[in-house]
């Protein structure tokens, strides 16, 4: 993966349950490039699609970005992504031989 990642890890105790928690984490540099802006756009779409009694879409955005923030902070993610890329290349090469 290219580009430097944030060096400070998100503490496991960081709740990341509310919109404010997610925004604070993204402002602090936790998350993938573009997540801060994408979060706001996704949240806006979810709010516009929600009724006052059904905020499931809003909750889904919060859960999604909470996972993205935690995934980004995982020290093993770069290795896992590289292994996935290598596997995909190998499978594509094998498929091309048949």
């Amino acid at each position: 993966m290219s580009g430097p990642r944030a060096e400070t890890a998100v503490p496991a105790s960081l709740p990341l349950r509310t919109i404010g928690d997610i925004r604070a984490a993204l402002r602090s540099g936790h998350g993938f490039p573009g997540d801060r802006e994408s979060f706001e756009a996704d949240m806006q779409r979810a709010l516009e699609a929600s009724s006052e009694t059904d905020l499931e879409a809003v909750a889904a955005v919060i859960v999604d970005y909470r996972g993205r923030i935690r995934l980004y902070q995982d020290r093993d993610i770069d290795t896992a992504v590289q292994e996935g890329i290598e596997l995909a290349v190998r499978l594509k090469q094998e498929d091309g031989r048949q």
Side-chain angles (χ1 to χ4, degrees):
M1 297 190 77
S2 63
R5 293 187 350 170
E7 292 297 321
T8 55
V10 174
S13 62
L14 189 61
L16 295 176
R17 285 187 300 250
T18 68
I19 295 169
D21 294 341
I22 302 296
R23 283 182 173 141
L26 293 172
R27 275 194 310 267
S28 297
H30 303 292
F32 293 97
D35 274 358
R36 183 177 177 183
E37 296 80 12
S38 295
F39 173 75
E40 295 301 333
D42 290 346
M43 184 58 67
Q44 184 64 37
R45 280 190 293 277
L47 285 167
E48 289 174 2
S50 297
S51 70
E52 62 186 45
T53 58
D54 181 10
L55 296 173
E56 188 174 322
V58 173
V61 171
I62 292 170
V63 168
D64 181 42
Y65 281 87
R66 177 181 61 202
R68 292 176 63 83
I69 291 166
R70 290 193 172 136
L71 178 65
Y72 183 80
Q73 297 307 315
D74 185 337
R75 295 182 185 270
D76 296 327
I77 188 65
D78 289 333
T79 302
V81 168
Q82 186 60 41
E83 288 173 359
I85 291 170
E86 291 169 1
L87 176 61
V89 167
R90 191 168 58 248
L91 290 172
K92 188 173 181 180
Q93 289 171 344
E94 290 173 4
D95 187 43
R97 292 184 200 152
Q98 296 177 358

